[in-house]
Amino acid sequence: MDSSLSRNQLRSARKRIILFTLLGILLTGALVGASTTVPMYKSARAHIEQANIINSKAHVAAIQNQLSQYHIIAEQLTSRTEIKKRLEAYVADDISLAELREFTQPRLQEPATQARHLAGLIRYTNDGTIVSAVGSLAEQLRRFDLTDTAFKTVMLEEPKSTKLIRIATPIYDQQQQQIGLDVLYFYTDAFTKLLSNIDIFGGKAELYLTNMDTGATLSFDYHSQEIHYRRLTEREKAFLLKTNTRQTTLLNHKDKQQDLTYIFSPFESHPLMLIVKVPTRTFYQAAYQDLQWAIASIVAMLLFGTLLGHIAITPLIRRLAKQADELKQNTIELRIAANVFEHTHEPIAISDANLTLMRANEGFYELLGIPNDTFLIGRNLLDYISPDSKQHSGYSTFLSAITKHNSWRGEIWYQSEADGRIISTPTLQSTTAVKNHNGEVEYFIHIFSDISEQKIIENQIKRQASIDTLTSLPNRGSMLFALKRAIHKCQPEKYCALLFMDLDGFKPVNDQHGHQIGDKLLRQVAQRLRSIVREGDFVGRYGGDEFLMIINQLPSKANSAARSQAIIEHLSTPYKIEHLEINIGVSVGIAHYPSEGLEAEKLIQAADEAMYRAKDAGRNRYSY
């Protein structure tokens, strides 16, 4: 009986040992897997958030650039000197309204037909009298309000509920007193195309554009590719009031019906807010998929470890001394097997407290661009940081943060050499410390995300914002910045010249042969100007058929006249476009710094007036 009891007790003890051992293996594996999976999951979420914030900023910049182009067109029309002088004469009762209209209408008609996407232009006096109305929809647009709101949208019932973007620009005289108002209406085609490019969630996102001053909101339908008016819900209005109007904000909201993620991206130069609303599950879909794969790997390894442990423990229960050693070995093997970073696509490296590399997965080798048989163990992580990054404040912040706070997250560049090539890669790095039972750092886990594509997109958008898309020359904003820089660097006893060039005979080319030929002609003009500009000088497109050239460090004013004559002769040579031979001329206005103006805007105005004097003198010549 004692023997039977002993056998029962032994059998019961064996079951308890096996049960507790297997539970210990499962628990240990789960904890080890969680310690690796949770940071990876958080990093993936953070990377998704950062990538979508950067993407939202990039699209805001593109939309803002389009709106700026509309404002530039409006400013070009209001700044035309001769037309503005006639309006001043009317305000001073020197000419009649009929004379003003007779002079203004044809001179606004020409630039209005050249402006892309312009549906109509209405010029008003201060008392609301219409001076001129040009454009295909000018007659339908006469009924709208005269407020000087810089930007809003309107809708015409005919034709077919046409939606337009309205830009209003006051007209000022030389004493900066308002004497009139230009109201321009643009078709929304280019605007709609920019909004359609934001579809990064397969049509599952909702896109709004809200005016922060008026509360008016536009929504974009991805399926119909149309813009609609919409009212924000009370909850969305509350979110909007809480957001930072100076920087892009991401907000996650949970309610009983649906979990939603919002991205609020403000515009810098307009009172507008871009709102992207996405179901949270769609927004973090990539992170959820990575998490599912990681969990599946952990579960598979746990089941394999459990089975292996059971097979190993059962025959060894009779030898308790050896059991402890083999159980310890199995636990160590399970921890190694549960190290999920070997199975993730994210680059991961493990270093000691001194940043000496202890372990790196295949993704880390790919990040550095080096063969995976390169021996990294024992090398210091800092050896692979780009020298340029070490000169920036982010490098010192990285070292300070891991020393004081044992964690860091930010952007840093890594560099390596492979096959004689230097490879530099921008990364978004997350570093977390793992401590021992005494609270001392034993090693760091470094998780990296390659952000090369985001950097390329960011640089492309910055370049597009400063380059004229038709001619690939610097645009109006870039020319203004270059002129200010030239004024600042102009040496004493030297002159800086500004040449304002307006093509003679360009409008008949457009009218007779179409805008496609006109665009090709502008490109050839740009190529000729680019071929004769000196090193250190600057040439760009000011708008329409107008170009600017900045000539630096002239010994005398006479040099600018010689350069202008050379330009006139060069641009007057016939152009070969398709089967056509086209002849045009150019009128050049010359202004010098500092004699004609101390500020960039004054120089442009002086050169513009000189250009009109050249046209009045017979065209295809220069004038001071």
Side-chain angles (χ1 to χ4, degrees):
M1 184 173 181
D2 291 339
S3 176
S4 176
L5 181 60
S6 177
R7 284 195 299 271
N8 290 336
Q9 289 176 342
L10 183 59
R11 190 180 298 110
S12 177
R14 184 185 302 170
K15 291 180 180 179
R16 285 196 301 269
I17 292 173
I18 293 174
L19 177 61
F20 288 132
T21 301
L22 296 180
L23 287 176
I25 293 174
L26 289 172
L27 182 60
T28 301
L31 291 175
V32 172
S35 67
T36 306
T37 304
V38 171
M40 181 198 69
Y41 172 68
K42 290 182 177 180
S43 175
R45 283 178 62 102
H47 172 68
I48 291 172
E49 293 172 354
Q50 185 68 20
N52 281 288
I53 286 175
I54 291 173
N55 191 48
S56 180
K57 287 180 178 179
H59 288 297
V60 164
I63 296 172
Q64 190 166 265
N65 179 62
Q66 184 64 47
L67 295 179
S68 298
Q69 293 297 321
Y70 293 158
H71 282 287
I72 287 172
I73 293 173
E75 290 172 2
Q76 290 174 347
L77 293 172
T78 60
S79 64
R80 288 185 171 259
T81 308
E82 293 301 321
I83 303 176
K84 185 164 65 174
K85 286 182 178 179
R86 291 303 178 100
L87 182 57
E88 293 177 5
Y90 169 75
V91 174
D93 293 329
D94 292 338
I95 62 173
S96 66
L97 178 60
E99 291 174 318
L100 176 62
R101 286 173 172 170
E102 182 180 359
F103 183 85
T104 303
Q105 180 73 15
R107 286 165 177 79
L108 286 181
Q109 183 72 39
E110 178 182 349
T113 57
Q114 297 177 10
R116 291 179 177 275
H117 312 300
L118 182 64
L121 161 64
I122 314 295
R123 172 163 287 191
Y124 300 92
T125 63
N126 277 347
D127 59 4
T129 302
I130 295 179
V131 175
S132 177
V134 298
S136 59
L137 299 181
E139 293 303 319
Q140 295 97 313
L141 295 168
R142 287 171 174 263
R143 63 183 176 82
F144 283 103
D145 65 276
L146 302 181
T147 61
D148 59 358
T149 302
F151 166 80
K152 68 179 183 179
T153 56
V154 299
M155 185 173 74
L156 293 176
E157 295 299 331
E158 294 292 338
K160 295 183 180 179
S161 301
T162 302
K163 298 179 182 63
L164 303 171
I165 296 176
R166 176 188 182 276
I167 303 292
T169 304
I171 307 172
Y172 298 98
D173 61 13
Q174 294 182 353
Q175 289 74 36
Q176 297 301 307
Q177 298 294 323
Q178 183 172 344
I179 58 175
L181 181 71
D182 275 348
V183 182
L184 290 81
Y185 299 87
F186 294 90
Y187 292 109
T188 59
D189 297 348
F191 201 64
T192 303
K193 183 176 180 181
L194 290 174
L195 293 176
S196 67
N197 291 337
I198 309 180
D199 185 14
I200 54 177
F201 296 103
K204 296 182 180 179
E206 296 181 29
L207 185 65
Y208 311 134
L209 193 64
T210 297
N211 190 315
M212 300 296 290
D213 292 339
T214 65
T217 299
L218 299 176
S219 68
F220 180 72
D221 190 325
Y222 286 112
H223 301 291
S224 65
Q225 295 289 298
E226 293 182 352
I227 297 174
H228 303 284
Y229 290 103
R230 181 189 184 277
R231 292 183 178 273
L232 294 179
T233 65
E234 294 301 322
R235 182 181 63 193
E236 291 169 345
K237 291 179 181 178
F239 290 163
L240 198 59
L241 292 175
K242 295 178 182 179
T243 58
N244 190 328
T245 58
R246 294 185 178 180
Q247 64 182 21
T248 301
T249 304
L250 186 142
L251 176 67
N252 289 313
H253 175 72
K254 294 184 178 181
D255 59 19
K256 296 180 180 178
Q257 297 179 347
Q258 189 178 22
D259 295 346
L260 297 171
T261 297
Y262 292 84
I263 299 178
F264 298 90
S265 295
F267 286 61
E268 292 183 3
S269 57
H270 297 81
L272 302 175
M273 179 75 75
L274 177 66
I275 305 174
V276 181
K277 182 172 74 172
V278 193
T280 299
R281 185 165 188 82
T282 301
F283 189 86
Y284 294 106
Q285 184 65 36
Y288 295 149
Q289 290 176 349
D290 288 346
L291 181 62
Q292 290 171 355
W293 279 108
I295 292 175
S297 299
I298 292 171
V299 170
M301 287 185 289
L302 288 177
L303 293 175
F304 175 75
T306 302
L307 178 61
L308 182 63
H310 182 271
I311 295 174
I313 291 171
T314 301
L316 297 178
I317 202 70
R318 303 180 183 88
R319 303 172 62 183
L320 296 179
K322 189 176 180 180
Q323 178 190 33
D325 293 336
E326 293 190 2
L327 180 60
K328 181 179 180 180
Q329 183 63 32
N330 289 335
T331 304
I332 293 174
E333 291 177 359
L334 182 59
R335 287 178 178 174
I336 295 174
N339 198 333
V340 179
F341 84 92
E342 289 287 352
H343 305 280
T344 182
H345 296 293
E346 293 287 337
I348 300 175
I350 298 176
S351 71
D352 62 13
N354 297 319
L355 298 181
T356 300
L357 291 172
M358 301 168 59
R359 197 176 186 88
N361 70 349
E362 186 174 346
F364 185 71
Y365 285 89
E366 293 177 357
L367 178 73
L368 295 181
I370 59 178
N372 54 14
D373 58 353
T374 304
F375 192 74
L376 293 178
I377 308 305
R379 296 289 300 273
N380 196 284
L381 182 65
L382 302 181
D383 295 341
Y384 294 96
I385 294 180
S386 167
D388 291 338
S389 288
K390 292 182 179 180
Q391 304 300 321
H392 296 161
S393 59
Y395 177 71
S396 57
T397 303
F398 164 61
L399 296 179
S400 175
I402 63 174
T403 303
K404 295 180 180 179
H405 308 294
N406 303 138
S407 65
W408 181 78
R409 185 175 184 276
E411 180 180 322
I412 199 162
W413 286 68
Y414 281 84
Q415 179 175 297
S416 62
E417 182 175 353
D419 298 328
R421 297 182 299 111
I422 300 298
I423 301 173
S424 295
T425 306
T427 68
L428 188 64
Q429 179 177 337
S430 177
T431 298
T432 306
V434 178
K435 301 179 181 180
N436 58 22
H437 62 280
N438 294 323
E440 300 170 340
V441 175
E442 284 194 350
Y443 52 90
F444 288 107
I445 297 177
H446 310 274
I447 302 176
F448 309 86
S449 294
D450 188 342
I451 57 173
S452 300
E453 292 185 4
Q454 292 91 323
K455 285 292 180 182
I456 293 172
I457 293 173
E458 182 180 330
N459 291 333
Q460 288 176 344
I461 291 175
K462 287 181 179 179
R463 183 180 182 278
Q464 291 172 357
S466 62
I467 297 297
D468 177 64
T469 55
L470 177 62
T471 63
S472 297
L473 289 176
N475 61 14
R476 180 190 182 103
S478 296
M479 291 301 298
L480 183 60
F481 177 81
L483 182 56
K484 291 179 178 178
R485 185 173 58 184
I487 290 174
H488 178 72
K489 293 184 177 181
C490 191
Q491 298 177 2
E493 309 302 326
K494 297 284 187 179
Y495 291 91
C496 291
L498 175 66
L499 308 185
F500 195 116
M501 297 167 282
D502 186 277
L503 302 181
D504 298 326
F506 177 75
K507 184 179 183 300
V509 173
N510 257 351
D511 294 342
Q512 183 176 357
H513 303 294
H515 286 289
Q516 186 175 5
I517 297 297
D519 288 348
K520 291 182 177 180
L521 177 58
L522 288 175
R523 292 191 190 99
Q524 288 197 19
V525 170
Q527 290 174 357
R528 293 190 182 185
L529 288 173
R530 194 183 291 111
S531 68
I532 62 174
V533 68
R534 301 183 312 174
E535 183 177 357
D537 293 345
F538 209 74
V539 66
R541 185 185 182 198
Y542 192 65
D545 59 349
E546 298 173 337
F547 298 84
L548 294 181
M549 181 179 289
I550 303 167
I551 306 177
N552 293 302
Q553 313 302 337
L554 290 173
S556 69
K557 292 184 177 180
N559 296 86
S560 60
R563 291 295 304 281
S564 298
Q565 184 61 39
I567 291 172
I568 292 172
E569 294 173 359
H570 194 57
L571 296 188
S572 299
T573 304
Y575 295 81
K576 298 290 186 178
I577 301 177
E578 295 181 359
H579 60 284
L580 302 173
E581 180 175 301
I582 297 176
N583 290 279
I584 61 171
V586 60
S587 297
V588 182
I590 307 173
H592 294 94
Y593 171 87
S595 56
E596 273 84 35
L598 299 176
E599 298 177 352
E601 292 79 3
K602 293 293 185 182
L603 281 177
I604 293 175
Q605 182 178 354
D608 183 27
E609 292 174 353
M611 182 271 293
Y612 275 106
R613 287 193 289 273
K615 284 186 178 291
D616 293 338
R619 300 175 181 262
N620 205 34
R621 64 191 63 211
Y622 64 85
S623 176
Y624 293 101

